[in-house]
Amino acid sequence: MTPRAQWNTATSPVPALAPAVTHDAIVIVPGIMGSELVDAGGDVLWGLSHPGWLARAWLSRSGLGALHVTDAERAGEPGAVRASRLLRFPTWIPFLGGVEPYTRLVEDADAVAAHPRALRTFPYDWRLPVQTNARLLAREARRHLEEWRAHPAHAQARRQAVDEREARLVFVAHSMGGLVTYAALALGGDSELAADTRGVLTLGTPFQGSVDAACILNGVQGAPLPLPHRKLAALAATMPGVHDLLPRHLCVEEGTEVRRLTSADVAALGGDKDLNADAEAFRQKLLTQPLAGHRQVVGIRQRTAESMTLVDGVVRSAAYSFRTHTDGRLIRDGSGVPRRFQVWGDGTVHRASAALIPSSVPLALQHGTLASGKAARQAVVDFLLEEDPLGPDQADGALGLQVPDYVVPGAEWQVDITGTDDPSGVECTLSALDGDGWSREGSPYADGDDLLRVDLRVPRPGLYRLTVTAPYSPTTLTQLVFAGPDGTAGSV
């Protein structure tokens, strides 16, 4: 009888598995236009679900008029608009496409939080400067950490941690929210906040800006565009938040030269040169600061604007970028023309802009789904549980594989596929790696809750590769198996 069979037939009670949770204080920070905005009376200005609201917002001339940033708001005075909660319904934004709500992300984070009070979302007025919202986030994060540390559930959860340390902060930030979080930790006015932070996960954050922000501002200057695009351009021209997202890398192609966007360019394309100057000064200061505990998720394989030309105030974006040598010189071809490189991205933020540090988690997702797609949410859960001694929980759709590493030719052996007990769509293939093309398809069958089993044999000694796929699984699972003689009765 194998050890596994002995375990399965044991008469003593089996202790229940402890759930994988984090005892840290979680803060979720959404991206631009990812927070519901309301007026002083509580009426929703941005974020309703009714289809008629979306049509009125973008197709009527008065729609979204209340969101224009006033001179008083630009001067730092409180206005009539406030953020109430994270976006709860899918919506659409000109130039940026669809934006998914954060509901599933919040649910996944809540499922691995030690207590509901350990999780807090940070809606903010995305029209205003990143630095303004960063100061608010710094205060809110400090308050959240202190309240969670004082909660009775914190003491209980803390005892399950390896070192039983006090909770620290973990930020999960999408798009502009990554800049807000970065600034909160570096420039938010709380000198101890970074030390009290375990980590920051950014999802598609434009650390070097986005050419799409220039296209948004140019909507009233360029070729005739639909009303929604022109409405957003007029609104964005008043918004410091959009100017904070303008591209800061070498992106303006001008003959055989490539340069950065200037405040004069921004004014010419339809923006505000003073807002851009403020944003540029802020970005230069921010990027000199470290962001400890940072991990970044970047979108890949999506066509993304990376550079632009600006002629007579009209922006023409292009899906290629330029690179420099280590000494800052442009990489050119043999004729002296700047070489063009296609880096791709998430459809809004090109990969290089989203990469503040060298290592990234690449996902083939569009910008609007980088905080809602299954693979992205799995990356978030893994990050939240990183210090948990139990390891990350297994998200829906993620399959596991248990395979013997040594088998005997001609003898039957089993493969266990965990995470599902439904064999439909699950394909299991065993192939020899000796080059003769031997291959067999296995037939998975249910053998318990969340468990499939496959019975297999190999014809001769050698190395084999097992491959398991399912249409709902984000990854293809593979494992090598070695077949050799039965040496269990012999001696070494």
Side-chain angles (χ1 to χ4, degrees), residues 101-117:
Y102 295 90
T103 308
R104 291 183 177 179
L105 177 65
V106 173
E107 290 173 349
D108 285 356
D110 182 67
V112 296
H115 188 275
R117 295 292 292 275

Side-chain angles (χ1 to χ4, degrees), residues 256-270:
T256 59
E257 299 298 329
V258 184
R259 59 176 179 79
R260 288 178 169 81
L261 197 69
T262 67
S263 291
D265 294 331
V266 172
L269 62 84

Side-chain angles (χ1 to χ4, degrees), residues 6 8 15 59 94 97 102 115 128 147 156 159 169-170 188 222 258 281 288 290 310 332 373 401 409 425 447 452 464:
Q6 291 173 353
N8 291 341
L59 299 177
Y102 295 90
H115 188 275
L128 303 182
E147 289 176 356
Q156 181 178 358
R159 288 194 291 270
L169 287 161
V170 182
V258 184
T288 63
L310 182 60
R332 300 175 184 270
L401 189 61
D447 194 39
L452 295 177
Y464 296 79

Side-chain angles (χ1 to χ4, degrees), residues 211 214-215 218 251-255 257 259 261 269 307-318 320 322 340:
V211 170
C215 295
N218 196 228
C251 64
V252 181
E253 188 176 11
E254 208 168 55
E257 299 298 329
R259 59 176 179 79
L261 197 69
L269 62 84
S307 60
M308 55 185 278
T309 58
L310 182 60
V311 180
D312 296 329
V314 177
V315 171
R316 293 288 181 266
S317 63
Y320 54 78
F322 303 91
R340 298 173 175 180

Side-chain angles (χ1 to χ4, degrees), residues 180-345:
V180 174
T181 303
Y182 187 2
L185 295 173
L187 307 171
D190 185 335
S191 60
E192 300 299 321
L193 195 63
D196 284 331
T197 297
R198 196 244 296 171
V200 178
L201 180 68
T202 58
L203 302 140
T205 291
F207 294 105
Q208 292 293 342
S210 171
V211 170
D212 277 358
C215 295
I216 287 173
L217 288 171
N218 196 228
V220 294
Q221 301 287 105
L225 292 172
L227 178 61
H229 298 71
R230 287 183 278 123
K231 284 175 59 64
L232 179 58
L235 172 63
T238 72
M239 292 168 51
V242 170
H243 291 75
D244 277 324
L245 300 180
L246 285 166
R248 305 298 170 188
H249 60 285
L250 289 171
C251 64
V252 181
E253 188 176 11
E254 208 168 55
T256 59
E257 299 298 329
V258 184
R259 59 176 179 79
R260 288 178 169 81
L261 197 69
T262 67
S263 291
D265 294 331
V266 172
L269 62 84
D272 186 298
K273 63 180 180 63
D274 294 329
L275 290 180
N276 180 71
D278 292 343
E280 174 65 17
F282 161 70
R283 186 70 63 90
Q284 288 184 2
K285 183 179 180 182
L286 178 64
L287 293 178
T288 63
Q289 307 297 314
L291 182 55
H294 179 213
R295 184 169 302 165
Q296 58 200 15
V297 174
V298 302
I300 61 171
R301 303 306 302 169
Q302 318 300 312
R303 185 177 176 85
T304 306
E306 303 172 49
S307 60
M308 55 185 278
T309 58
L310 182 60
V311 180
D312 296 329
V314 177
V315 171
R316 293 288 181 266
S317 63
Y320 54 78
S321 62
F322 303 91
R323 296 179 184 174
T324 61
H325 297 284
T326 54
D327 61 3
R329 293 178 298 112
L330 277 171
I331 297 177
R332 300 175 184 270
D333 63 18
S335 302
V337 177
R339 295 198 64 185
R340 298 173 175 180
F341 299 88
Q342 190 166 48
V343 182
W344 304 87

Side-chain angles (χ1 to χ4, degrees), residues 430-440 459-464:
L430 184 66
S431 304
L433 298 183
D434 58 8
D436 74 344
W438 184 92
S439 180
R440 290 291 185 274
R460 58 184 180 274
L463 190 63
Y464 296 79

Side-chain angles (χ1 to χ4, degrees), residues 370-392:
L370 266 177
S372 61
K374 180 179 291 185
R377 299 194 329 265
Q378 289 173 354
V380 169
V381 168
D382 184 76
F383 185 73
L384 293 176
L385 294 173
E386 198 161 78
E387 286 199 347
D388 188 87
L390 301 175

